[in-house]
Amino acid sequence: MTAVAPVARKPMNLHRLREMHAQGEKITMLTAYDATFARLVDDAGVDCILVGDSLGMIVQGHTSTVPVTLDEMVYHTRCVARGNQTAWIVSDLPFGSYQESREQALRSCVALMQAGAHMIKLEGGGWTTEVVHFLTERGIPVCGHLGLTPQSVHALGGYRIQGRDEAGATTLRKHAAELAQAGAAMTVLELMPSAVARQVQDENPGMMVIGIGAGSGTAGQVLVLHDMLSITRGKLPRFVRNFTAEGGSAEDAVRRYVAAVKDGSFPDETLHAY
């Protein structure tokens, strides 16, 4: 019997992601910082690759993301772009690369996009709205990031759940609405009660909300690859699931992650949510 070749995936784009969101198909995202893992997660069917400044902790051994530089983000984005063939690449603006001015943010975005990024992610709400509007007007797809924003970990008093009280939840919802109005096509919500994240998604139906420790009521999910492969040492956050527990290869684990997000079995509200 002649083997049937697998159907090649078409490169992901923003239009296709929006179509998936409109049709209720969950969006999958994982981090990658090099060409080898980028190729692996792409081959396994992940929709989006996040070149996160989490590489400061995962790759470089820092205790936070703050030391990561723009040059380092450009280098890792370039590596990921070489290994990737079809996934949508989202790259982080690191601390200090966009806080000074809109013009500084634009220069940083240009460097990342010339390295291969398709979308740029920045942290925070309120003051970032003007920056997001400035960037999107100039044709740069932007992803926001609210809730636990690791670059602000010292100001937040550590890695704490955000939006637990009414005032905090109201602020998160306000900032999310402002980001959507400014043109952010996507926003990551990190470490918050699932009810708050669900509200944010419901109130901003045109924006793709990607959760990490934010429950199942979002448009999609993201995890740090090394966490879900159980490579990271030490205690992992509650929202992480070890997808290697069933055995097989790393690619098998990523395929299980993709399937679990798509069918809604991950995250499990009783195990992985707050």
Side-chain angles (χ1 to χ4, degrees):
M1 183 176 180
T2 304
V4 178
V7 178
R9 284 209 308 173
K10 292 182 179 179
M12 186 62 70
N13 56 47
L14 191 54
H15 176 71
R16 172 61 184 138
L17 287 169
R18 283 177 166 147
E19 273 190 339
M20 290 166 59
H21 177 42
Q23 294 166 4
E25 180 180 349
K26 295 290 188 179
I27 296 166
T28 58
M29 182 185 290
L30 284 173
T31 61
Y33 315 113
D34 60 40
T36 299
F37 272 126
R39 181 62 184 268
L40 185 149
V41 301
D42 181 38
D43 285 348
V46 169
D47 301 313
C48 305
I49 295 174
L50 173 61
V51 188
D53 59 1
S54 51
L55 66 88
M57 303 167 78
I58 301 298
V59 177
Q60 298 175 339
H62 296 299
T63 57
S64 77
T65 64
V66 173
V68 179
T69 68
L70 179 61
D71 285 345
E72 290 166 345
M73 289 303 305
V74 167
Y75 168 78
H76 285 280
T77 298
R78 190 173 290 120
C79 291
V80 166
R82 291 192 189 111
N84 177 59
Q85 293 185 317
T86 64
W88 179 254
I89 299 175
V90 183
S91 290
D92 270 338
L93 286 175
F95 181 72
S97 69
Y98 60 101
Q99 285 88 350
E100 182 181 325
S101 67
R102 300 176 307 175
E103 290 75 19
Q104 183 203 28
L106 176 60
R107 289 193 298 271
S108 299
C109 287
V110 168
L112 288 172
M113 295 192 77
Q114 288 180 338
H118 302 127
M119 174 179 267
I120 305 299
K121 184 167 78 66
L122 52 77
E123 292 186 6
W127 70 271
T128 60
T129 303
E130 182 184 350
V131 177
V132 171
H133 181 67
F134 183 80
L135 296 175
T136 55
E137 273 198 325
R138 284 152 180 78
I140 297 173
V142 174
C143 176
H145 186 151
L146 297 172
L148 175 65
T149 47
Q151 292 175 13
S152 304
V153 65
H154 301 307
L156 295 173
Y159 296 94
R160 300 170 180 269
I161 300 170
Q162 303 298 303
R164 271 189 157 167
D165 59 13
E166 185 175 349
T170 299
T171 298
L172 284 170
R173 291 166 59 197
K174 176 177 180 290
H175 286 169
E178 290 170 348
L179 287 173
Q181 291 164 10
M186 185 180 285
T187 290
V188 170
L189 297 184
E190 181 170 359
L191 205 63
M192 67 179 63
S194 55
V196 176
R198 188 180 296 273
Q199 277 186 305
V200 169
Q201 182 64 90
D202 290 346
E203 292 168 356
N204 303 280
M207 183 170 68
M208 295 169 280
V209 175
I210 308 298
I212 177 167
S216 59
T218 56
Q221 298 292 323
V222 61
L223 284 177
V224 171
L225 178 67
H226 294 62
D227 290 352
M228 57 80 67
L229 291 178
S230 196
I231 296 172
T232 307
R233 300 295 87 184
K235 184 179 180 181
L236 294 175
R238 171 186 173 133
F239 57 76
V240 175
R241 173 178 156 187
N242 175 11
F243 283 88
T244 67
E246 297 173 44
S249 66
E251 186 171 335
D252 292 334
V254 174
R255 289 186 186 278
R256 284 193 288 268
Y257 167 77
V258 171
V261 172
K262 295 287 186 184
D263 69 22
S265 60
F266 177 81
D268 182 330
E269 290 285 337
T270 63
L271 299 174
H272 310 116
Y274 299 91

